[in-house]
Amino acid sequence: MTALRITGGVFTLVGALLPWATFVLNNGPYPEKSTLAFFAAPIAVTGFRMHLAEFGVAAIVIALVRVPGRERILRAIGWGVVAVAVVNGLYITVEGGGLGAITAGSGVAFGAVVALIGGVLLILGATAGGLSPVPVWRWRLNRYVEWLILLVTFGLLLLLVSAVLTSGGQGGAANVYAGAVFLSFLGAVGGLLGALHASGVVTWIGAVSERRRVFSVIVLLIAALLLPLTGAGTEYWMTVAANIGVYAATAIGLNIVVGLAGLLDMGYVAFLGIGAFVAANFSGAAASRIGIQLPFPLVMVIAAVVAGIFGAIVGSPTLRVRGDYLAIVTLAFGEIFVRSAQNNIGGLTGGANAIPGIPPVSLFGTDFNDSVQIGGLELAPGVLYYVLIVFIVAAVMLVFANLKNSRLGRAWIAIREDEDAARAMGIRTGPIKILAFMIGATLAGFAGAFFAHKTANVSYDSFQFLESVTLLAAVILGGMGTIPGAVLGASILFVLPEKLREFSDYRLLLFGIALILIMRFRPQGLVPDRHRRAELVPVSEPATMPVPTAGPGATRQPSAGGPSDRQMIRSVDRG
């Protein structure tokens, strides 16, 4: 098995040093100088070839050195190699018109094939002798040492987020390979994170972060605010990040309804739209029928309150219906909202003309759309909106965390697990379910007010049924009942379609395949709640032990720690 693992690592390394494309494709040479005609420096690897070279060297070293969880680490590396090889090789094959694009008569342009073989050999070598359990680290270090470890970890996480956002660049006519580069990088990141999890590092850092919760929250907030100082600090990526924040805040609100209370809401995006239209009407926009301009903080409060009132109204039918019937009720509400906004009922939505010209948020005479000068550093336009949404998401997280750990949150969880049992235990399920709808809608209205001022244009097209499905998928994908899960799920579901615009014909297909694979291998979500994780743990068969039969004349002895027959009879007599 060791020889098989080393061979897989060697094949992976050799595949990184070989050309990948036989000829120049119609859209130009493939990135990272991997085309045979431009293959002048095989050792100077970059991009996906550098990722494969690193995987190959790491696999060889780990195969020779006994480390905890070695088999699982090698398996994760192997899957990362396979992902990188398949993405790049398949893309070159499709764009090049066949397998001839990744092979050559002289036999030197087999990079994709050799790397794929290396990845398969690594997986086979890792699983041939069985997988060792994931190691559990129980180290407890000095407080300052653990603080330093968390600082380094969150700093690397910030750089990773920036690299994921900017990998492949912004797609377009000048950058036709952006989608392929992004998917390849995503495969490499998946292999790296899988290897770290297999080594027990991720679990241990999670435990350290839980012990130092306040410090971790502060550092994470600072790391999020430092994103504009990385490679993602351009106007385009700040806009993308701000939109991710809107979806994340809304998904956290939906997580109260679906993740905690277990109420299936298929029209939740309507509350985001209600908050946006309320904010648009009180923003002083020329198309607003109300014609009143209020301060932005007051507008956010009004939008949240109005959305919460509608949430309570929609939640009222939950007293009589549940399950699929509740999903139909919420779906109907979402469609009613869209049609009402489209027909401009009440003159508050603008109909097909929407409500344009919403003025931007301003502070001390500076519009949030403008660039910011801090000393000699000039930040891109839209940075202030990003900073604002970071604080909004942080506030929504705080509300969710406190509610989850409160009596109300425990009541929601009890209703989610078994509503009849919760009612039998004295929980007033009706009002508590209405509270779930009302609080979730309030948070969505809060995010909708920000959305209206950020986009400067509110239209009913932004709140269609597909958006509700996307938000629900974000909650389930990330992990129901968890804060990081909702944020991660919303980020993935917003970033993937944005980064895959190059695959206009196959974008939804790739998007759907990614969701299927994630839910197949992580049905509890990417960041599962402990209750959800316990529910989906496979139930192992109970161990059976042979019971010795006493021979003639033998006396039966009580088991260690257990009661004797006479003691059991006495206890029955007392009863």
Side-chain angles (χ1 to χ4, degrees), residues 79 119 551:
W79 280 115

Side-chain angles (χ1 to χ4, degrees), residues 41 93 164 184 204 209 257-258 270 275 357 363 383-384 395 421 424 456 508 556:
T93 300
V164 170
S184 176
W204 180 70
S209 176
V257 182
V258 178
L363 182 66
V383 168
L384 292 178
L508 292 179
R556 183 176 179 182

Side-chain angles (χ1 to χ4, degrees), residues 299-374:
V299 169
M300 294 191 72
V301 172
I302 295 175
V305 170
V306 173
I309 293 173
F310 277 95
I313 294 173
V314 175
S316 298
T318 62
L319 300 176
R320 297 292 182 184
V321 297
R322 67 175 71 174
D324 300 336
Y325 301 100
L326 175 61
I328 294 175
V329 170
T330 55
L331 172 62
F333 170 72
E335 289 301 311
I336 290 172
F337 168 77
V338 171
R339 300 308 167 197
S340 299
Q342 183 178 7
N343 295 325
N344 196 22
I345 296 179
L348 299 175
T349 63
N353 296 324
I355 301 181
I358 300 174
V361 180
S362 61
L363 182 66
F364 301 122
T366 302
D367 290 343
F368 278 33
N369 285 331
D370 299 337
S371 59
V372 181
Q373 189 82 21
I374 303 177

Side-chain angles (χ1 to χ4, degrees), residues 119-131:
V120 173
L121 290 177
L122 282 175
I123 296 173
L124 294 177
T127 57
L131 296 174

Side-chain angles (χ1 to χ4, degrees), residues 102-113:
I102 59 172
T103 60
S106 58
V108 294
F110 287 95
V113 178

Side-chain angles (χ1 to χ4, degrees), residues 484-504:
V487 176
L488 181 60
S491 302
I492 291 175
L493 293 184
F494 187 87
V495 170
L496 276 182
E498 188 71 22
K499 299 289 288 187
L500 297 180
R501 290 186 180 276
E502 175 188 343
F503 303 98
S504 56

